[in-house]
Amino acid sequence: MADIHLERRHSMGLKKAKAAAQKVADDLAAGYGITSTWDGNVLRFARKGVSGELAVAADRIRLDARLGLLLAPMRSRIEAQVHENFAQYFA
C-alpha cells in the first residue's frame, strides 16, 4: 500500500472550503466512481483501490489517502493531480 498525505492552508473559511471539497467529491464521483460521505468536517471517500479522507478546517485542508497495489505505482502522478486540484478548488 502507498499513502498520500497532503496539507494546504487556505483563506476560504469553513463553509466555502466544505463547498469546494464537495465539488471535488462530485467531480471524482463523475470521473472515477469514487463514493464519499461527510462525517462532520471530514469527507471520507472510497472505491476499489483507494480510500481516505479530506479533513476541512477554517484555514486548512488535509488529505490522507491509501492506494492499493494496482494504484501504488501511479502514486506520484496521482499526487501531482491532487496538488493541481487543491490549487484550483482551494485558491
Side-chain angles (χ1 to χ4, degrees):
M1 289 264 220
D3 293 332
I4 297 175
H5 304 285
L6 301 172
E7 190 164 339
R8 182 182 178 112
R9 297 189 71 71
H10 66 78
S11 59
M12 302 172 73
L14 182 60
K15 187 175 180 178
K16 287 183 181 179
K18 281 183 79 170
Q22 185 61 55
K23 175 70 173 136
V24 171
D26 294 342
D27 289 351
L28 290 172
Y32 302 102
I34 294 176
T35 60
S36 61
T37 57
W38 283 100
D39 181 11
N41 293 331
V42 177
L43 182 66
R44 300 188 194 287
F45 59 89
R47 71 158 264 182
K48 188 174 182 172
V50 65
S51 64
E53 62 185 39
L54 180 63
V56 181
D59 63 345
R60 69 185 178 283
I61 54 170
R62 186 191 75 245
L63 173 77
D64 292 305
R66 289 162 298 288
L67 303 177
L69 290 175
L70 294 177
L71 293 178
M74 296 186 287
R75 179 179 178 250
S76 61
R77 194 168 97 196
I78 293 168
E79 195 168 345
Q81 183 63 50
V82 170
H83 277 291
E84 287 180 31
N85 287 350
F86 277 14
Q88 176 185 350
Y89 290 106
F90 298 99

